[in-house]
Amino acid sequence: HFVRLPKNARVLDLGSGCGTLGLLLCAVNESCRVTGVELSQSAHLAAINNIRRNGLTTRMESICVDVRQVPGSFPPGSFDVCVSNPPYFSGGPASRTAALARREDACSPADLFRAAAWALKYGGDFFLVHRPERLGEIIAQAGAFHLEAKRLCLVRHGPGKDVSLILLQLRKGGKPGLAFEELSLTDELGQPSREYKSIYHIE
């Protein structure tokens, strides 16, 4: 919902897991093509299965490769858009079931921005979801790779609640200027908000 794609977009999903983001993007945009890179062999195989089951073998692919190897895996500027739902945590106990997906041992923000900056054409956009407490660090590190924050959405579970997630659009070579948005998942009565229903096509 937050991602904006140009026509015939080439999209790179960094840390693509089982392919969820790519499947959703292909569902709402008939002209995009998505390449996912994923370190976990089991997640990569699940993505291949999901691509086949959804009849998207001509528009989607999954490659089992480390995000840190992206600069050697594609020619520079190969993609119009990058997306990522990366590990959120820099430390703490490793998850027993999803260590690579939750802790950034193999995918730090710098690793992510280096990969995106290499893969994106000039003027291309990187769409990222992350934790609000990492925002300052993320914007500062992205700037070191010439990725300028252009659009920020603060996601809350309900009105007046703390921000639980941030959605950030960064542009390669972008000029300064940041637009702010907010999204509440529920309304004052605790029911799904109008925006939530629109995003998930409810009613």
Side-chain angles (χ1 to χ4, degrees):
H1 177 77
F2 184 72
V3 174
R4 296 174 177 173
L5 297 182
K7 189 175 181 180
N8 300 318
R10 286 287 317 277
V11 182
L12 180 64
D13 185 356
L14 297 168
S16 51
C18 64
T20 302
L21 286 180
L23 294 171
L24 291 171
L25 288 174
C26 285
V28 298
N29 188 300
E30 295 181 355
S31 68
C32 73
R33 292 172 292 157
V34 180
T35 297
V37 293
E38 172 56 43
L39 179 59
S40 165
Q41 177 74 10
S42 59
H44 160 67
L45 293 175
I48 290 176
N49 185 47
N50 285 331
I51 291 167
R52 289 173 179 163
R53 291 180 64 184
N54 284 277
L56 290 169
T57 54
T58 61
R59 295 179 55 205
M60 273 190 75
E61 63 178 343
S62 179
I63 301 172
C64 193
V65 67
D66 194 315
V67 163
R68 294 168 291 189
Q69 296 174 332
V70 164
S73 301
F74 305 98
S78 296
F79 295 89
D80 304 291
V81 169
C82 287
V83 297
S84 187
N85 180 13
Y88 296 153
F89 304 105
S90 59
S95 167
R96 293 182 179 178
T97 57
L100 291 175
R102 290 183 56 81
R103 206 172 72 174
E104 60 189 40
D105 298 350
C107 183
S108 70
D111 295 330
L112 205 61
F113 298 136
R114 184 178 293 106
W118 174 275
L120 282 171
K121 68 177 187 181
Y122 188 83
D125 288 322
F126 181 23
F127 295 89
L128 175 72
V129 56
H130 220 292
R131 297 284 298 175
E133 62 268 23
R134 306 289 299 275
L135 178 60
E137 171 193 0
I138 286 169
I139 289 179
Q141 290 204 31
F145 293 94
H146 307 289
L147 296 168
E148 182 72 25
K150 299 299 297 178
R151 186 166 147 245
L152 172 65
C153 182
L154 307 177
V155 181
R156 306 176 191 272
H157 285 293
K161 301 289 187 180
D162 291 340
V163 176
S164 55
L165 286 175
I166 56 167
L167 305 174
L168 187 63
Q169 177 182 353
L170 301 148
R171 180 163 296 158
K172 183 176 178 178
K175 296 180 180 179
L178 180 60
F180 291 87
E181 304 172 10
E182 288 205 29
L183 170 63
S184 178
L185 301 182
T186 61
D187 60 21
E188 293 80 359
L189 300 176
Q191 300 300 310
S193 67
R194 177 172 50 83
E195 295 86 352
Y196 181 95
K197 290 179 180 179
S198 174
I199 291 168
Y200 289 100
H201 307 288
I202 299 172
E203 299 179 354

